[in-house]
Amino acid sequence: MSGNVHEAQLVSATPRADGVVEYILRTEEPLRFRPGQFVSVRVGVDSDGNPILRSYSIASLPGRPEISLILKLIAGGPGSVFFDTLKPGDPVRLTGPMGFFVLDLQHTGDVVFGVTGVGITPVLSMLEDLAARPERGRIILYWGNRHAQDLFWLDELAAVQKKCERLHVDIFLSGDAPSWSGKRGRITQALLTDLPSLDKPVFYLVGNGAMIKEVKAELQRRGVDRKRQIRNEAFFG
Ligand SMILES: Cc1cc2nc3c(=O)[nH]c(=O)nc-3n(C[C@H](O)[C@H](O)[C@H](O)COP(=O)(O)OP(=O)(O)OC[C@H]3O[C@@H](n4cnc5c(N)ncnc54)[C@H](O)[C@@H]3O)c2cc1C
């Protein structure tokens, strides 16, 4: 395929959490990308014959022969229906990599991730990248979900934490979760409460657009510089 258009094939589909499925795709050549980037997938055509496209962050690490996409399936959504009905060997046309939600080349202070739901998909490879850097600041992940059934990658996050003492993972549940012994509520409040203790932070906000809008506005109200200190990727809303 020419340019950055790739003809991929589905290798496997594996449920990871409630309504969350991981799709492994093989491209003709390993896709070169930076952690945090996404691909645009052709998921159908509309009634005028125009392609229907959906974006998905790359959930796997660079340099592998296959890429992983992790989807929260939305009932009746064209992208969700397309992936839900794929079978191993089926073709998937994607464009990319694209996007500017990537790590700064260097951080002089703390690195803070504010993430909701499936917005975690680009974050694991960003954490792996940070873990390998000789930087000194803390890395703090605030990950908000509704229910315990929404969670995945707990072992993977624990594995990065094990090799990277600078990483702190804080998981919040906002819905009914009687047996949950972790933190509760929304990440916005927790992040703003912790703000005064952060050292020259750079924020990476990803997931629900409403969360991003609110956190950005509140951070700026408290003196955080949008251009220098906030990076964001809204998945929807
Ligand atoms: C840069 C980028 C990266 C993205 N990466 C991912 C990813 O890694 N995994 C992923 O699942 N999605 C990701 N998305 C969202 C994805 O592109 C689709 O919007 C999503 O899969 C729904 O598409 P659909 O066609 O199934 O439903 P649509 O018909 O397009 O959407 C139906 C409704 O669901 C809402 N919606 C979309 N996503 C969610 C969600 N997670 N939770 C609740 N409501 C939602 C939409 O706002 C819309 O109102 C990303 C979006 C962008 C812009």
Side-chain angles (χ1 to χ4, degrees), residues 36-39 43 52-59 69-82 98-99 116-122 146 206 208 233-237:
Q37 288 193 297
F38 67 91
V39 289
V43 299
I52 304 174
L53 305 171
R54 289 291 182 272
S55 302
Y56 297 102
S57 296
I58 304 168
L69 305 180
I70 300 184
L71 270 71
K72 171 81 183 171
L73 297 178
I74 307 290
S80 302
V81 170
F82 171 79
M98 48 180 93
T116 55
V118 80
I120 195 73
T121 54
R146 286 234 169 81
V206 51
N208 183 335
E233 189 85 284
F235 278 14
F236 66 95

Side-chain angles (χ1 to χ4, degrees), residues 4 6 25 27 31 33 36-42 53-58 67-69 83 92-99:
N4 62 349
H6 306 271
L25 303 174
T27 47
L31 200 64
F33 64 93
Q37 288 193 297
F38 67 91
V39 289
S40 171
V41 178
R42 182 184 169 123
L53 305 171
R54 289 291 182 272
S55 302
Y56 297 102
S57 296
I58 304 168
I67 60 164
S68 149
L69 305 180
F83 273 95
V92 179
R93 175 166 291 199
L94 49 91
T95 310
M98 48 180 93

Side-chain angles (χ1 to χ4, degrees), residues 146-232:
R146 286 234 169 81
H147 306 292
Q149 306 90 278
D150 300 328
L151 299 173
F152 58 99
W153 270 359
L154 299 183
D155 290 347
E156 286 81 352
L157 289 170
V160 191
Q161 238 179 331
K162 214 169 162 190
K163 64 183 173 195
C164 181
E165 279 181 1
R166 305 190 292 128
L167 174 61
H168 307 264
V169 176
D170 261 345
I171 297 177
F172 293 77
L173 295 185
S174 60
D176 238 12
S179 57
W180 177 248
S181 57
K183 300 198 171 172
R184 290 174 183 273
R186 295 169 63 231
I187 60 166
T188 307
Q189 200 47 53
L191 198 150
L192 295 174
T193 304
D194 294 349
L195 179 61
S197 68
L198 299 174
D199 175 37
K200 299 190 290 292
V202 173
F203 296 89
Y204 294 87
L205 309 174
V206 51
N208 183 335
M211 174 281 288
I212 292 172
K213 201 169 162 200
E214 183 184 10
V215 172
K216 259 170 100 170
E218 292 296 334
L219 288 175
Q220 286 178 86
R221 254 166 31 99
R222 289 162 173 78
V224 173
D225 184 87
R226 184 179 63 81
K227 273 204 164 146
R228 279 194 305 109
Q229 293 181 276
I230 306 177
R231 322 274 173 255
N232 57 268

